[in-house]
């Protein structure tokens, strides 16, 4: 009974209204005095509560002398509440967005592998059109299943894979410097964007400290995350197509280009 009263209060009933309505469902028609006895609501408050419920068309007075009351059927009440709730949700969905157009989207810190994987999986499960990500072989067991499920429902999957990532779906570019990057930086990074709406970037494994990443829906930051992945894909495609020419021009693994941009003491020590 307490659960029923609690859920009625969730629908907008106060404590007395919930008790009076339930009492009338059990015994009707009933006078105010009978409702008070059945519900445990003080008699003076029972009359006030019946009038309130009558105004809301939850109970109906029969017109007898003394006045007696009957409740509307519970299925009619629930249908009415459901219709009102859905109408309010629909209205707010259409209108609340107008209030937040100029609000800066927050950045959420994700600490530890577990929380990073959890948020990444949540993003993937809600993806509707596309997922871009940089994925390491070590992280594949956690993300492959939700990625495959997303692909099966029509989501476009594009991956930069490190340490021999193999998928039988989507587009995968293999990055040949996974171990070098991991050894030089002391860990693996993660970059994921979904539908141009949200993204994660950070370090998912590190020998220098706890894994830490950030999640955001900030459109500017998500754009930069996606462009990082796209530029990696462009470069990897060019390397696959013009491998010998690039090696002649820049050396193995584009060493001279890396030195030109990052300096001779850059972090990526080529094996």
């Amino acid at each position: 009974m307490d659960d029923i009263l609690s859920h009625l209060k969730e629908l907008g009933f106060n404590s007395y209204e919930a008790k009076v309505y339930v009492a009338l469902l059990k015994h009707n028609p009933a006078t105010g005095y009978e409702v008070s006895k059945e519900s445990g609501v003080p008699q003076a408050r029972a009359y006030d509560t019946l009038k309130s419920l009558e105004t809301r068309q939850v109970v109906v007075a029969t017109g007898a002398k003394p006045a007696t009351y009957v409740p509307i059927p519970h299925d009619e009440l629930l249908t009415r509440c459901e219709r009102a709730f859905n109408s309010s949700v629909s209205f707010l969905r259409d209108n609340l967005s107008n209030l937040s157009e100029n609000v800066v989207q927050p950045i959420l810190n994700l600490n530890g592998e577990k929380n990073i994987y959890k948020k990444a999986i949540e993003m993937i499960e809600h993806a509707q059109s596309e997922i871009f990500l940089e994925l390491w072989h070590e992280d594949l067991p956690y993300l492959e299943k939700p990625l495959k499920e997303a692909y099966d429902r029509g989501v476009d999957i594009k991956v930069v894979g490190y340490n021999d990532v193999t998928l039988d779906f989507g587009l995968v570019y293999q990055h040949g410097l996974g171990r070098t990057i991991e050894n030089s930086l002391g860990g693996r990074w993660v970059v994921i964007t979904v539908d141009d709406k949200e993204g994660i970037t950070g370090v998912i494994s590190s020998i220098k400290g706890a894994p830490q990443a950030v999640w955001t829906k900030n459109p500017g930051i998500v754009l930069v995350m996606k462009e990082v992945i796209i530029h990696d894909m462009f470069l990897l495609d060019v390397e696959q197509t013009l491998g010998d020419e690039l090696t002649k021009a820049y050396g193995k693994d584009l060493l001279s280009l890396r030195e030109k941009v990052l300096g001779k003491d850059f972090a990526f020590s080529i094996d």
Side-chain angles (χ1 to χ4, degrees):
M1 179 61 69
D2 287 343
D3 288 343
I4 291 176
L5 296 175
S6 176
H7 282 285
L8 282 171
K9 285 190 279 186
E10 290 288 336
L11 295 180
F13 286 65
N14 64 34
S15 181
Y16 284 164
E17 288 171 342
K19 290 178 179 178
V20 164
Y21 181 71
V22 168
L24 279 172
L25 286 177
K26 291 179 173 179
H27 174 71
N28 67 83
T31 64
Y33 172 75
E34 292 170 329
V35 167
S36 174
K37 280 189 67 177
E38 179 70 31
S39 65
V41 174
Q43 190 170 348
R45 297 304 306 273
Y47 285 108
D48 292 341
T49 300
L50 285 165
K51 287 297 182 183
S52 172
L53 292 174
E54 184 180 13
T55 299
R56 290 167 53 190
Q57 298 181 334
V58 175
V59 304
V60 179
T62 63
K65 296 291 185 178
T68 58
Y69 298 86
V70 295
I72 65 171
H74 69 273
D75 56 347
E76 180 181 340
L77 172 69
L78 296 177
T79 298
R80 185 192 302 175
C81 290
E82 186 176 38
R83 189 181 302 119
F85 178 83
N86 290 337
S87 176
S88 294
V89 169
S90 178
F91 173 84
L92 292 173
R93 179 175 287 116
D94 292 338
N95 290 275
L96 284 179
S97 59
N98 297 329
L99 304 177
S100 58
E101 287 181 351
N102 297 319
V103 175
V104 176
Q105 292 291 343
I107 296 176
L108 175 68
N109 289 320
L110 303 172
N111 296 312
E113 284 188 7
K114 180 179 178 181
N115 289 324
I116 297 172
Y117 288 137
K118 180 179 179 181
K119 192 63 179 178
I121 291 170
E122 178 184 307
M123 287 171 52
I124 293 167
E125 288 177 342
H126 289 90
Q128 297 180 349
S129 60
E130 66 172 31
I131 299 171
F132 280 77
L133 71 158
E134 304 227 342
L135 179 65
W136 299 71
H137 178 79
E138 291 80 354
D139 304 314
L140 184 59
Y142 301 94
L143 302 181
E144 183 173 12
K145 183 174 183 289
L147 284 170
K148 181 61 166 62
E149 291 172 350
Y151 179 81
D152 288 343
R153 64 174 184 268
V155 177
D156 190 20
I157 310 288
K158 291 186 171 67
V159 179
V160 173
Y162 295 84
N163 299 342
D164 298 321
V165 169
T166 302
L167 297 173
D168 59 1
F169 58 89
L171 175 65
V172 181
Y173 283 98
Q174 296 293 346
H175 198 297
L177 296 179
R179 293 298 179 199
T180 297
I181 294 170
E182 191 172 357
N183 292 335
S184 298
L185 299 184
R188 307 187 307 274
W189 61 54
V190 55
V191 189
I192 303 174
T193 69
V194 170
D195 297 338
D196 292 327
K197 294 180 179 179
E198 57 182 324
I200 290 176
T201 186
V203 178
I204 201 167
S205 174
S206 174
I207 63 174
K208 300 177 181 179
Q212 191 170 51
V214 296
W215 166 89
T216 187
K217 284 190 173 182
N218 184 292
I221 298 176
V222 173
L223 173 63
V224 172
M225 292 181 193
K226 181 177 176 180
E227 285 303 309
V228 167
I229 301 171
I230 289 174
H231 280 97
D232 275 349
M233 290 178 174
F234 283 175
L235 183 57
L236 290 169
D237 200 291
V238 169
E239 288 179 347
Q240 290 175 12
T241 305
L242 304 174
D244 292 340
E245 288 84 351
L246 288 174
T247 299
K248 289 178 183 178
Y250 297 108
K252 184 177 182 295
D253 296 318
L254 308 182
L255 179 59
S256 65
L257 177 59
R258 296 175 191 276
E259 289 180 345
K260 180 179 180 179
V261 175
L262 302 173
K264 292 185 179 298
D265 297 325
F266 66 92
F268 294 176
S269 56
I270 304 299
D271 295 334

